[in-house]
Amino acid sequence: MTLDGFLTFLGLAAAVFAIIPPVARLRIRLQLGVQIALAAIAVTLALYFEFFEFVALPCPSILGGVCPLLQMPTDSKFTPEMAAFIVVLVWMVLAFFAATLLPPSQRSLGPMAELLERLFHQDRYGEAVDFLLPHLEFIDRAQNRGLWTQRTHDWLAGNRIVDVEALLAERKKANRLRESRRFLRPLAKLFPSGNHAQENAERILNSMYLTRQFMDYVALQRPSVAGMLVTLDAHQRYDFSNRLLHSLISVPGSRLYEELERNAKYDGMGDSLVVGHNFILRAYFGNARVAELLGAWKPVGDYLISEIRRADQARLNGRSDDFDKGRWNDPIAVGVAYFDLMIRSSSHRPIGAVGYPAFHN
C-alpha cells in the first residue's frame, strides 16, 4: 500500500462513517476509547512502514535471532508497503469486531444515558430502541446491582440485602458470620462499587419507562419492545404496565384491541391460547406469573367498571342481534375477552395462591 493508497483509505473510512446508519454510529461511540486506541496504533504502524526507508529503527540486540525475521532487506519480496497493507487490513477487522461484538462496560452507561436523552429530545424513538435493545439486560443488571463487580463489592463490604426472617431465626449465627466478614471489608476497595453505573442505568430506564411519548410509540409501532419492557426485571415496569394497559383499553382500535381480536380468530398451528405474534398479550399471559406480579387485571378492570356505569343499561341488557358487527370496537366486549384470556391462561399455567381472584374482592 502506497502513501496515496493509505490516504485514500482514510478518506473512504471517513465517508463510510458518515453514511452508515445513525444507530451504528451511536454504537461505535460507546467503544470510542477502544476505537481510538486501535486507530492510533494502526496509523502509527502504517506511517512507519510507509516511511520505512527514512525512519527504520535498528533491531534491538536483546531480540537476538528474531531480528532477521523483523528486518526488511531491500531485496526481499515482502516490502514495507505490503506490511502497511496488512496493518490496515488487521485494523479494519479488529475495528469491526470491536464495534459489533464488544459488550458495553459500566463506563459506557453514562454516554448511553446522554445519547438516549438526546434522541428522546428529538423524538427519534426508533433509533433509541435500536440503540438500546441489545443492551437492555445489561442495563437492568446494572440498576439491580447484578453485575459481577457490583455483587463482589457488595458481598465483601457486607452491603447485601439482609433476610430479616433468617436473621431473627438465627441471630447468633448471623452475628458470628458478620463478625467473620469484618476482615474482608478492606478487600471491597479492590472492586469498583458500581454506584455511578447503577445511577446511569436507572437514568436510562427511567427515560424509557416514564416518558409518555415513548410508551405511545412502542405500544403503536413496536409492541415487541413494549412486551420486553413489561417482562424486564425493573422496578419501573409496574407503573409502566398500569399506564400502558389503561392507555390501550381506553382507545378503541388500539394494539390491545387488535391482538385480542386476532387471538380470538386465530386458526393456525401452535399454541392458540396466546398467539406468538401478539406481543403484548404474550408478555402478560405467556407466563401468567407476570400478569400476577404486575396486577394486569386492575387498570383494565377499573376502566371497564367506569364504562359499565356510564353505559346505557338498556343497551347492555337488550338484544344482541348486531353484537358481532361492532364487537371488537366495544371496550366492554373487548374487556370481557381480555379477562377470559386471563383466566384461561392462569388455568393453563398456575400462578399460585394469590392472583387474579384478588380483583373480585
Side-chain angles (χ1 to χ4, degrees), residues 331-343:
I332 298 176
V334 170
V336 171
Y338 176 86
F339 277 96
D340 175 69
L341 178 61
M342 178 185 294
I343 294 170

Side-chain angles (χ1 to χ4, degrees), residues 149-200:
T149 53
Q150 293 173 324
R151 288 187 284 108
T152 304
H153 180 275
D154 291 345
W155 186 84
L156 291 172
N159 294 335
R160 294 187 303 169
I161 297 176
V162 178
D163 187 343
V164 178
E165 294 183 0
L167 180 63
L168 294 176
E170 301 183 15
R171 184 177 301 176
K172 293 183 179 180
K173 181 178 179 180
N175 289 336
R176 288 197 302 268
L177 180 61
R178 187 166 60 251
E179 288 297 323
S180 64
R181 292 263 303 281
R182 186 163 52 106
F183 301 100
L184 298 177
R185 290 176 185 171
L187 297 178
K189 297 180 180 179
L190 299 177
F191 297 88
S193 64
N195 292 334
H196 291 297
Q198 183 181 13
E199 293 173 3
N200 288 320

Side-chain angles (χ1 to χ4, degrees), residues 132-152:
L132 287 179
L133 201 59
H135 312 304
L136 268 183
E137 292 186 2
F138 170 77
I139 297 170
D140 181 50
R141 290 201 311 273
Q143 178 184 243
N144 295 327
R145 301 195 63 79
L147 301 179
W148 73 270
T149 53
Q150 293 173 324
R151 288 187 284 108
T152 304

Side-chain angles (χ1 to χ4, degrees), residues 61-326:
S61 58
I62 192 174
L63 297 180
V66 182
C67 285
L69 300 176
L70 300 177
Q71 294 174 342
M72 295 182 184
T74 54
D75 57 347
S76 174
K77 294 182 178 180
F78 187 75
T79 62
E81 289 77 10
M82 294 181 181
F85 176 78
I86 292 177
V87 168
V88 171
L89 185 63
V90 172
W91 174 27
M92 292 173 56
V93 173
L94 292 179
F96 172 78
F97 282 117
T100 56
L101 300 180
L102 200 63
S105 63
Q106 295 187 34
R107 292 183 178 180
S108 62
L109 288 172
M112 289 173 70
E114 294 176 2
L115 289 172
L116 179 67
E117 291 173 355
R118 190 179 307 168
L119 292 174
F120 274 27
H121 180 70
Q122 300 171 357
D123 295 334
R124 296 161 61 185
Y125 300 116
E127 294 178 20
V129 167
D130 294 334
F131 170 53
L132 287 179
L133 201 59
H135 312 304
L136 268 183
E137 292 186 2
F138 170 77
I139 297 170
D140 181 50
R141 290 201 311 273
Q143 178 184 243
N144 295 327
R145 301 195 63 79
L147 301 179
W148 73 270
T149 53
Q150 293 173 324
R151 288 187 284 108
T152 304
H153 180 275
D154 291 345
W155 186 84
L156 291 172
N159 294 335
R160 294 187 303 169
I161 297 176
V162 178
D163 187 343
V164 178
E165 294 183 0
L167 180 63
L168 294 176
E170 301 183 15
R171 184 177 301 176
K172 293 183 179 180
K173 181 178 179 180
N175 289 336
R176 288 197 302 268
L177 180 61
R178 187 166 60 251
E179 288 297 323
S180 64
R181 292 263 303 281
R182 186 163 52 106
F183 301 100
L184 298 177
R185 290 176 185 171
L187 297 178
K189 297 180 180 179
L190 299 177
F191 297 88
S193 64
N195 292 334
H196 291 297
Q198 183 181 13
E199 293 173 3
N200 288 320
E202 188 167 6
R203 180 178 161 194
I204 293 171
L205 293 178
N206 282 341
S207 297
M208 299 182 71
Y209 279 105
L210 304 180
T211 303
R212 176 65 188 228
Q213 293 84 351
F214 178 72
M215 184 194 72
D216 294 337
Y217 168 79
V218 296
L220 180 64
Q221 301 188 37
R222 302 290 290 272
S224 60
V225 177
M228 185 178 297
L229 292 175
V230 165
T231 57
L232 199 66
D233 186 21
H235 64 82
Q236 298 95 332
R237 64 174 175 158
Y238 297 96
D239 180 66
F240 175 83
S241 173
N242 290 334
R243 291 185 291 109
L244 175 68
L245 289 176
H246 182 271
S247 174
L248 291 173
I249 193 63
S250 61
V251 179
S254 68
R255 177 74 189 196
L256 182 62
Y257 284 69
E258 294 176 4
E259 290 195 5
L260 285 167
E261 180 181 7
R262 185 163 57 236
N263 202 76
K265 296 180 178 180
Y266 180 73
D267 193 25
M269 298 178 60
D271 182 10
S272 59
L273 181 64
V274 183
V275 183
H277 52 272
N278 287 341
F279 298 108
I280 294 176
L281 295 179
R282 194 80 178 179
Y284 284 102
F285 306 134
N287 180 359
R289 178 69 177 171
V290 174
E292 179 196 11
L293 289 174
L294 298 179
W297 63 86
K298 192 175 190 311
V300 177
D302 289 344
Y303 182 79
L304 287 185
I305 291 174
S306 64
E307 280 293 305
I308 292 173
R309 288 172 177 170
R310 289 196 304 263
D312 182 5
Q313 298 300 316
R315 182 181 70 84
L316 293 178
N317 298 322
R319 296 177 61 86
S320 58
D321 296 334
D322 59 347
F323 175 71
D324 290 335
K325 185 179 297 184

